[in-house]
Amino acid sequence: MISNQMKKLYLCRHGKTAWNLERRIQGLTDIELNHEGRTQANKLAKFLKKQINGPVKLLSSPLMRATQTASPIAEALDTTLEVDDRLIEINTGEFTGCRLDDLQNDQRWQLHLKDPWHEGYGIGGESSESVHNRMMALLNELMQQNDDRD
């Protein structure tokens, strides 16, 4: 039976990685959580267990940092973790691995900052418009499902 209540959407960012500390652009690089990130994931799982009272559908990016964040949540909420490729991080192309501090005077980076919607992340990168399109497709699909889980 489907309830008439609106579904709730909880968005969680992955915990910290070594590259977060170095202020590196991660993009699609598959980096694991560091110790602090694992601690953050466990704290988030405990917090969500107190906040969420009903059944949930738990989705994650396929990247390790995301699944390592979502796994303790799945355990705490007694649910299955599902991976959806549409949730993957934006492809940061040529800027992947670069330190933000080193890009301040980079003209290509400045172009990206001026118009991330269309310009995207330079050579090999993805635009914000592309990310928006795949996220909206996922959200629309979730809302159309005959499923009363948040």
Side-chain angles (χ1 to χ4, degrees), residues 14-27:
H14 63 78
K16 278 193 180 173
T17 69
W19 278 24
N20 288 134
L21 293 177
E22 296 171 9
R23 295 178 37 87
R24 287 192 186 279
I25 298 173
Q26 296 179 98

Side-chain angles (χ1 to χ4, degrees), residues 91-147:
N91 181 346
T92 54
E94 64 184 315
F95 298 115
T96 302
C98 294
R99 288 174 16 100
L100 290 172
D101 298 339
D102 296 337
L103 290 173
Q104 289 180 355
N105 297 319
D106 187 304
Q107 289 181 342
R108 301 162 305 149
W109 181 251
Q110 295 306 317
L111 282 174
H112 159 72
L113 293 178
K114 284 182 184 175
D115 187 13
W117 185 258
H118 296 104
E119 186 64 31
Y121 276 90
I123 298 171
E126 185 177 14
S127 69
S128 296
E129 181 178 25
S130 172
V131 175
H132 172 266
N133 291 339
R134 64 181 157 88
M135 291 297 102
M136 291 307 298
L138 173 61
L139 289 172
N140 286 329
E141 180 183 303
L142 291 171
M143 295 311 294
Q144 297 302 316
Q145 290 178 353
N146 193 12
D147 187 340

Side-chain angles (χ1 to χ4, degrees), residues 9-143:
L9 177 65
Y10 302 90
L11 299 174
C12 304
R13 187 177 191 279
H14 63 78
K16 278 193 180 173
T17 69
W19 278 24
N20 288 134
L21 293 177
E22 296 171 9
R23 295 178 37 87
R24 287 192 186 279
I25 298 173
Q26 296 179 98
L28 301 180
T29 306
D30 203 9
I31 300 168
E32 67 182 340
L33 297 179
N34 62 16
H35 177 74
E36 183 179 359
R38 289 187 294 278
T39 299
Q40 290 172 331
N42 289 323
K43 285 181 179 179
L44 178 60
K46 288 176 185 173
F47 172 79
L48 290 173
K49 185 174 183 169
K50 292 177 184 175
Q51 299 298 314
I52 298 174
N53 297 318
V56 295
K57 178 175 184 138
L58 181 60
L59 301 173
S60 173
S61 158
L63 293 175
M64 190 174 6
R65 60 188 179 265
T67 59
Q68 287 176 337
T69 301
S71 291
I73 297 169
E75 186 177 328
L77 299 179
D78 193 28
T79 192
T80 304
L81 173 59
E82 299 177 40
V83 170
D84 192 305
D85 289 341
R86 292 172 289 186
L87 290 171
I88 201 158
E89 177 72 75
I90 191 167
N91 181 346
T92 54
E94 64 184 315
F95 298 115
T96 302
C98 294
R99 288 174 16 100
L100 290 172
D101 298 339
D102 296 337
L103 290 173
Q104 289 180 355
N105 297 319
D106 187 304
Q107 289 181 342
R108 301 162 305 149
W109 181 251
Q110 295 306 317
L111 282 174
H112 159 72
L113 293 178
K114 284 182 184 175
D115 187 13
W117 185 258
H118 296 104
E119 186 64 31
Y121 276 90
I123 298 171
E126 185 177 14
S127 69
S128 296
E129 181 178 25
S130 172
V131 175
H132 172 266
N133 291 339
R134 64 181 157 88
M135 291 297 102
M136 291 307 298
L138 173 61
L139 289 172
N140 286 329
E141 180 183 303
L142 291 171
M143 295 311 294

